[in-house]
Amino acid sequence: MRTSIATVCLSGTLEEKLDAVASAGFDGVEIFTQDLLVSPTAPEEVRARAADLGLCLDLYQPFRNGVELAPDKFDDALRRLRRTAELMNRLGTPTLLVCSNVSPDAVADDDLVAEQLHRMGEVAADHGVRLAYEALAWGTHVHGHDHAHRLVLAADHPNVGTCLDSFHILSRGGDPASIQDMDGDKIFFVQLADAPLMRLDVLSWSRHHRVFPGEGDFDLVDVMTRLVRSGYSGPVSLEIFNDSFRQADVVRTAVDGLRSLRWLEDRTRSAMASELSASPGTEGSVGAGTRGTTDRLELQTLPKISAPSGWDFVELRTTDLGDTTRLLHRLGFRLGGHHRSKDVQVWLQGDVRVVVSEAGEGTRRQPDLDPRERPGRRPVAEIAGLGYEVEDPAAAYQRALQLGSDPVNRSELPGEAVLRGVWAPDGTEIFFGPAPGAGVPAWLEEFGVESEATGFADLITGIDHVNVAQKWQHYDEGVLFYTSVLALEAAAAQDVPGPSGLVRSQVMRSPDGAVRMPLNLAPTAAEQGSFVGVAYPEHIALASTDVREVARRAMRRGLEFLTVPENYYEDLVTRFDLDPATVAELRELNLLYDRDEHGEFLHFYTRTLGDLFMEVVERRGYQGFGAEDAPVRLAAQYRLQSRETSAEQRWT
Amino acid sequence: MRTSIATVCLSGTLEEKLDAVASAGFDGVEIFTQDLLVSPTAPEEVRARAADLGLCLDLYQPFRNGVELAPDKFDDALRRLRRTAELMNRLGTPTLLVCSNVSPDAVADDDLVAEQLHRMGEVAADHGVRLAYEALAWGTHVHGHDHAHRLVLAADHPNVGTCLDSFHILSRGGDPASIQDMDGDKIFFVQLADAPLMRLDVLSWSRHHRVFPGEGDFDLVDVMTRLVRSGYSGPVSLEIFNDSFRQADVVRTAVDGLRSLRWLEDRTRSAMASELSASPGTEGSVGAGTRGTTDRLELQTLPKISAPSGWDFVELRTTDLGDTTRLLHRLGFRLGGHHRSKDVQVWLQGDVRVVVSEAGEGTRRQPDLDPRERPGRRPVAEIAGLGYEVEDPAAAYQRALQLGSDPVNRSELPGEAVLRGVWAPDGTEIFFGPAPGAGVPAWLEEFGVESEATGFADLITGIDHVNVAQKWQHYDEGVLFYTSVLALEAAAAQDVPGPSGLVRSQVMRSPDGAVRMPLNLAPTAAEQGSFVGVAYPEHIALASTDVREVARRAMRRGLEFLTVPENYYEDLVTRFDLDPATVAELRELNLLYDRDEHGEFLHFYTRTLGDLFMEVVERRGYQGFGAEDAPVRLAAQYRLQSRETSAEQRWT
């Protein structure tokens, strides 16, 4: 039996994967698109390397959204297919996996689909490749292996066959018996996967996945409201069975738990108060309900806050003052001044204020991180603090304290601005600054800055978002902290594949989007590469109205960009049909590109300094965070870090 | 609002939990039974400590299987209730959580249940405590909060109320609106939990939980059989989206993957061959099927093996030869002899042969374990190798190699026995020894042992099981290795709670039970305590027909037992109604006790030496592995290890 394996099964880079597959003794390998496009190795080199290793490149995959299309969309699919087939010729992969369509727009018309498959078969034949059409278990209309096989027979083209995947068949309870009645020559490829039978019954859900109030999806304010109305007067207790909590630091979990109750109490009281004020005829206290019972729970409230209206400052801590300020200068920042009593400087551009302080020994933000993961030689450069502009700093600070946050002890001389802050669970110092009024903030004056309006033609105008790393097991805690203390809201989370595992990106944002903070949740059991080297680097994304000009200036000033692989640009053309001149400019400036239904997104990343890098973004209506491009970044950072630590140059 | 939290939410020991809860600022705490019974702190001391901390002990929980019982079972429930209420008086907990019954034997008779609750209320009143009856979402008959409330009203006893838990209500889509119509004074307790809405749809299942063939529950032999019959001739490829594989060492995962295909190939061919021989009229090759197609996949076979018939030997590696051999001596082992050419000795008792070798530098079994977790000062003492008695050692060795295992390079002088072995993925050396014939094994003669039948009255007769530690993320790999290489079978896995997280116990066993190997899967992201200190210790469980006599002899010889807390013995009486003399003897000898439907189980643990401890067990028909007692052991080991590393004595 000829054995093969998809690169997506394995950790590491494409090059590491092929080496490992060959060394294990497989006959062949499936190339997963993303593994190629994040790789700096050209398709021809991949082909040559595979030949040296004695590996057959069996399949290229997946080709999505290529069939079951409305006629007006099918032409672009054929264009993408042509480009993909050309790439496959360079790679030497004979077969392309074509998935059944999962879009709600997919067309349910077997005759049409058969015709489309036939026309795709003609394109494939022109390039000497074959198409293996696979029914995904969650395909909109085509989700049975028999159905896909029938469509392939109807397509009646020698270059069109089917691909069978045991997961897609068995997970839906499909009957494999029909396989034996198929024509074996029309089965172009077979993928095997096993899986544990998963019935996430309510018992398992309860025993492993409970979280503290505010960290899940239950409407507990409703439960609490009903409880007040019942006249209950006893304790309200947390009973949480959670695999992560069982491993986490006990002191930290207890604080997290009480925070969840204080937050829920406050939310319940607010909800009941606004209900009351909506029906002014009702008598009684805030907690009074349908039965007129008073609030025997005695719900407490927290100081009211609203979400921050913007970023006051970002504080970086570094052992490499030269490298850090050089990076800022290359991005167009200018030195605002030095603090009058502390060893700290501020750098300015547009509305961005970056405070830079020198790190002493033992000032790591997350000192509990495994020392193995933070080799002593690596420089420190990290986000130490974040300043937010809030309506009522005193109230926000009091609220944070009542939610169990530890205050940051910050020394100030008499006459200096008082800045109140607390520690976030991830070790960041969170400061509550006043919302912008006239002139510069009081604290900025201490740096000798008298006016920010210095007439510079700043290309960078503000902070687009700040990306803070968290350990995977502190996901829930992080979300609740930023929700309850800063009134940010959690968007839907997204998993981004990196060479050392999935990195979850959880965007926290203010309702108006003025403050956006993706939390990066990194796998902590990574064996392939280290936690810090790969997933930890966090960053500040700066907003620009002309990212190309920022990149050009930075290039002139000698900025080290994070290199974007040529395979990525090739794929951009396939995906978006960009014209050659646009792509040439992107390539020249190391820019990445994405598009959503709202518009375009151009951005670049700098090389990592310590645990930090910078990103500059230009949004042309686009509303995402370039999650499609994050794997390219993770792979490039992983590659650099492996090179640094192992001094090993592979494939050279 | 009075805030409380269940100890089960938190990591660490009971003492650490109470400290953390008080320090976070909670008003009270729920005591989870198991946290108390694994603790060395007496109930009165817990009460005093909580008072010092300003914590109210709000609830004791859970009381399971106490209601909805057939009348003949109810008396024992009342006896347990009485003992539990006495304990609650000592603790000072006013309220007991009574769960709805989850047994298939639960009685669905509301009148009977109300009467039982009333009678329980009378017992509770006698002791001045209250009962809070809670509907578990998976209760056999009572799983709605309204139902539980109705039963409580019908019970009509002032000491009987209900407990509401938001998880149990909302996870089943219950309507919290009815809470407000309850009598608040009849709600005795409230537990809040949030949870993410979990629909484990087929897409999430596919993207995160696929595993290699043989590591899940799918019948892939059936799929392969059908595929052969279809006449398919292409590659068979693995496409596995798995969160752990994405983090794991790439070389290791690739080997695991190919092993799964080789194993599946062999199993498919065997299945088809036996099908063929069952219908002798059918013409064609082994792969021929209903359509007479030949096997164009050319399935390969592996050398045939059967499961081991027993243990040949266990090899320990240690830096503390004195401590290790002293431990063996105290358990009744005698020195068999020293190897004639290697620096190795063998210790014998009954059918047990323990080879002891001295560890040099860098000979750790799992060198990839975090150095932080293995402080340099800790002695090495670990299971280095396992020898199995197999029918055909040469075939088993060849099979293991064909399954991608690395051979162990073992030197032997001319004339010495040749012992073939391979490395297990967890770093253990696995040796294939001949099934027992006449006299002593050839390798044993090299130790100067000429006969094992030396007339000793051995109290230990054999190896009951060997417990090997694995990292959590290598669960699937470990199961497939022992399945495919040794023909062991996986029993149902069980999660055991420890102070640093859940430890999964996955028993691998030969069909006749002669070889039993629980794999201990330890959480690797533990922050509360370290991986090695708590979850890693692995052990050899020795079988005895008189564990009490083994314990007495060991005590005379000065063995250090792992101490069993008094709270555990108190709970034994509650659980099993053991008579005082039996419990006194168990206590005196540090014995633990369990019972299943097949019989009784007595056992003791030694203190840990390096990463190893020993257990001696006496089975009186019992078929389990004392999983109920494992939390006691984990807590005791955690406690000792915290003391060793922090030199901190809490609560003294």
Side-chain angles (χ1 to χ4, degrees), chain B residues 188-328:
Chain B
F188 281 6
F189 208 73
V190 170
Q191 296 173 319
L192 284 191
D194 202 344
L197 289 181
M198 303 193 85
R199 318 159 291 126
L200 193 72
D201 57 309
V202 72
L203 177 60
S204 310
W205 185 18
S206 171
R207 287 284 162 79
H208 301 284
H209 300 287
R210 290 176 175 222
V211 289
F212 291 132
E215 298 177 352
D217 298 317
F218 284 171
D219 182 358
L220 295 176
V221 170
D222 184 38
V223 172
M224 288 298 295
T225 303
R226 310 300 184 173
L227 202 58
V228 169
R229 289 185 183 148
S230 79
Y232 174 72
S233 63
V236 174
S237 186
L238 297 164
E239 191 193 29
I240 314 296
F241 302 86
N242 182 294
D243 291 359
S244 291
F245 294 0
R246 285 182 188 274
Q247 299 180 41
D249 178 87
V250 59
V251 175
R252 192 165 167 171
T253 310
V255 170
D256 186 26
L258 191 62
R259 176 175 299 139
S260 76
L261 285 181
R262 292 282 169 243
W263 172 81
L264 180 63
E265 229 178 331
D266 178 67
R267 293 263 303 219
T268 304
R269 214 176 132 93
S270 300
M272 295 187 77
S274 53
E275 203 175 289
L276 197 71
S277 66
S279 51
T282 319
E283 293 291 310
S285 71
V286 165
T290 47
R291 288 164 65 199
T293 324
T294 52
D295 171 13
R296 293 173 65 196
L297 281 178
E298 298 175 6
L299 298 178
Q300 293 174 28
T301 52
L302 297 168
K304 293 276 167 283
I305 58 162
S306 46
S309 57
W311 296 97
D312 190 13
F313 64 88
V314 171
E315 180 173 354
L316 306 183
R317 184 162 44 212
T318 179
T319 50
D320 277 304
L321 204 54
D323 282 347
T324 306
T325 53
R326 189 157 35 242
L327 173 64
L328 291 170

Side-chain angles (χ1 to χ4, degrees), chain A residues 1-6 8-11 20 24-26 30 58 61 138 165-168 170-171 176-177 179-182 184-185 187 189-198 200 202-203 205-218 220 222 224 226-227 229-232 235-241 243 245-250 253-255 257-258 262 264-265 290-291 296-299 370 473-474 495 497 499-502 523-528, chain B residues 1-6 8-11 20 24-26 30 58 61 138 165-168 170-171 176-177 179-182 184-185 187 189-198 200 202-203 205-206 208-218 220 222 224 226-227 229-232 235-241 243 245-250 253-255 257-258 261-262 264-265 290-291 296-299 370 473-474 495 497 499-502 523-528:
Chain A
M1 182 175 91
R2 295 217 324 106
T3 56
S4 191
I5 185 169
V8 76
C9 312
L10 301 169
S11 61
F26 280 91
E30 305 174 30
D58 285 319
Q61 70 127 317
W138 51 93
D165 181 317
S166 63
F167 184 88
H168 294 303
L170 299 176
S171 63
I179 295 173
Q180 70 188 57
D181 300 322
M182 292 180 177
D185 290 326
I187 304 173
F189 207 72
V190 170
Q191 296 172 320
L192 284 191
D194 202 344
L197 290 181
M198 303 193 86
L200 193 71
V202 72
L203 177 61
W205 186 19
S206 172
R207 288 284 162 79
H208 301 286
H209 300 288
R210 291 177 175 220
V211 288
F212 290 131
E215 298 177 352
D217 298 317
F218 284 170
L220 295 176
D222 184 38
M224 288 299 295
R226 310 300 185 174
L227 201 57
R229 290 186 182 147
S230 78
Y232 174 71
V236 174
S237 186
L238 297 163
E239 191 193 31
I240 314 297
F241 302 86
D243 292 359
F245 294 0
R246 285 181 189 273
Q247 298 180 43
D249 179 86
V250 59
T253 310
V255 170
L258 191 62
R262 292 283 170 241
L264 180 63
E265 231 178 329
T290 48
R291 289 166 64 201
R296 294 174 64 197
L297 281 177
E298 298 175 5
L299 298 177
D370 181 351
Q473 66 265 42
H474 293 303
D495 288 341
S500 302
L502 293 177
T524 45
E527 296 177 335
Q528 189 66 25
Chain B
M1 183 173 93
R2 295 217 324 106
T3 56
S4 191
I5 185 167
V8 77
C9 312
L10 301 170
S11 61
F26 280 90
E30 304 174 30
D58 285 319
Q61 71 128 313
W138 52 93
D165 181 317
S166 63
F167 184 88
H168 294 304
L170 298 176
S171 64
I179 295 173
Q180 70 188 57
D181 299 324
M182 292 180 177
D185 291 325
I187 305 173
F189 208 73
V190 170
Q191 296 173 319
L192 284 191
D194 202 344
L197 289 181
M198 303 193 85
L200 193 72
V202 72
L203 177 60
W205 185 18
S206 171
H208 301 284
H209 300 287
R210 290 176 175 222
V211 289
F212 291 132
E215 298 177 352
D217 298 317
F218 284 171
L220 295 176
D222 184 38
M224 288 298 295
R226 310 300 184 173
L227 202 58
R229 289 185 183 148
S230 79
Y232 174 72
V236 174
S237 186
L238 297 164
E239 191 193 29
I240 314 296
F241 302 86
D243 291 359
F245 294 0
R246 285 182 188 274
Q247 299 180 41
D249 178 87
V250 59
T253 310
V255 170
L258 191 62
L261 285 181
R262 292 282 169 243
L264 180 63
E265 229 178 331
T290 47
R291 288 164 65 199
R296 293 173 65 196
L297 281 178
E298 298 175 6
L299 298 178
D370 181 350
Q473 66 264 42
H474 293 302
D495 288 341
S500 302
L502 292 177
T524 44
E527 296 176 335
Q528 189 66 24

Side-chain angles (χ1 to χ4, degrees), chain B residues 609-627:
Chain B
L609 178 65
D611 297 324
L612 181 79
F613 65 97
M614 307 289 264
E615 181 183 3
V616 180
V617 313
E618 179 181 339
R619 290 176 183 274
R620 299 174 178 173
Y622 177 89
Q623 299 195 358
F625 292 86

Side-chain angles (χ1 to χ4, degrees), chain B residues 622-648:
Chain B
Y622 177 89
Q623 299 195 358
F625 292 86
E628 283 293 314
D629 297 333
V632 177
R633 167 173 74 74
L634 290 170
Q637 289 171 336
Y638 170 89
R639 200 173 297 274
L640 285 168
Q641 203 252 346
S642 309
R643 193 169 297 164
E644 275 169 22
T645 54
S646 72
E648 184 188 16

